[in-house]
Amino acid sequence: MTMEDAMAALSALGHARRMEALKLLISAAPEGLLAGEIADRLGSKQNTMSTNLAVLLRARLVKAAREGRGVRYTADTQTFAAMLEFLIADCCDRQTSACPELDSVLESVRAIEREPVDA
């Protein structure tokens, strides 16, 4: 992940509703949710949620697929994992044994990266 990609992802997550939407989509993986379902679950107006989902989509934190008249969103776990790894990659000068609490975080991130990718 480049610095620009990381900044776009972190900027997208700098809004409470977008953070809530991503967390909801991660918990709904791998099926994801329709845009209207996301808005309903988060108590948001659909047009406002669509705008927030578009920001997450541009940051590549979510994927979208047309489903009938709606759009189904899923968390892009590969981008999410890359962002987390980017943030902690230089921790302890890449000596994870010096930061044992991050060792399990890195393993979790690597497990996310190994998840199958939705087409």
Side-chain angles (χ1 to χ4, degrees):
M1 173 168 274
T2 66
M3 177 70 76
E4 291 78 19
D5 292 337
M7 289 171 40
L10 292 168
S11 177
L13 294 175
H15 185 279
R17 278 288 185 223
R18 291 192 291 265
M19 178 77 75
E20 290 171 343
L22 182 61
K23 287 177 65 175
L24 179 62
L25 288 170
I26 289 170
S27 71
E31 296 84 18
L33 297 165
L34 292 170
E37 292 176 289
I38 298 168
D40 290 346
R41 290 191 189 188
L42 297 179
S44 178
K45 295 179 182 177
Q46 287 192 13
N47 62 339
T48 303
M49 185 51 62
S50 290
T51 300
N52 285 321
L53 290 168
V55 172
L56 293 171
L57 188 62
R58 281 192 302 276
R60 295 183 12 234
L61 289 167
V62 300
K63 296 177 184 178
R66 176 119 342 246
E67 189 172 295
R69 292 178 38 171
V71 179
R72 181 169 295 276
Y73 288 89
T74 55
D76 187 328
T77 56
Q78 287 185 330
T79 299
F80 184 68
M83 179 191 68
L84 293 176
E85 192 154 32
F86 177 86
L87 289 172
I88 61 176
D90 297 322
C91 177
C92 306
D93 197 28
R94 295 187 182 265
Q95 302 297 316
T96 56
S97 60
C99 303
E101 62 279 357
L102 289 181
D103 214 20
S104 63
V105 172
L106 281 171
E107 184 51 40
S108 296
V109 167
R110 290 181 188 111
I112 290 170
E113 289 177 321
R114 290 188 293 266
E115 288 182 5
V117 178
D118 297 329

